[in-house]
Amino acid sequence: MTTDRIWTYAPDSGYVEGQDLTGFGVVASDGTIGQVDRQAAPEGLAHLVVDTGVWVFGRSVLVPVGVVTRIDTEGRRVTVACTRSEVKAAPRFRTDSETRDRAYLSEVGAYFLRLTATA
């Protein structure tokens, strides 16, 4: 997977252009992560901001859409190709301004790209 692919949905993920995933549950290979709080694609770097609730001390995580393996529209669920601990270990998401910070997004992209390279 190339770096730019981590920021785009896989063709077989079930994503439909313009689809709003806000409120969808997010599931890792070993359990629930949280729910999609919002989605964005600044400069073509599409990602989901996932509210983890109390699971990760009430913080949110930024997940590039390239790790999305399946979107279940009927069940309102997004499945990602990583574990809960891998998501928890991702570069910390602190403020909305980071969704436009090229250095932060590069760090996040590189982290998730390494995960998908070993999957």
Side-chain angles (χ1 to χ4, degrees), residues 26-108:
V26 181
V27 181
S29 60
D30 60 350
T32 301
I33 295 171
Q35 73 175 30
V36 177
D37 185 41
R38 58 196 173 281
Q39 62 194 72
E43 299 180 39
L45 304 174
H47 59 269
L48 305 174
V49 176
V50 179
D51 179 355
T52 64
V54 296
W55 171 63
V56 187
F57 305 112
R59 74 176 174 102
S60 295
V61 293
L62 188 139
V63 178
V65 299
V67 298
V68 172
T69 57
R70 183 169 182 264
I71 297 171
D72 175 3
T73 304
E74 194 172 301
R76 296 186 50 83
R77 183 173 37 235
V78 174
T79 304
V80 294
C82 45
T83 66
R84 288 168 47 105
S85 61
E86 289 169 335
V87 170
K88 189 175 181 179
R92 187 161 180 102
F93 176 75
R94 291 181 180 88
T95 67
D96 282 341
S97 65
E98 289 175 320
T99 63
R100 296 176 306 280
D101 180 335
R102 197 72 147 135
Y104 172 75
L105 292 173
S106 291
E107 181 183 3
V108 170

Side-chain angles (χ1 to χ4, degrees), residues 1-2 6 13 17 21 42-43 59 79 81 84 89 92 117-118:
M1 180 181 285
T2 61
I6 200 71
S13 69
E17 189 67 36
L21 301 176
E43 299 180 39
R59 74 176 174 102
T79 304
R84 288 168 47 105
R92 187 161 180 102
T118 60

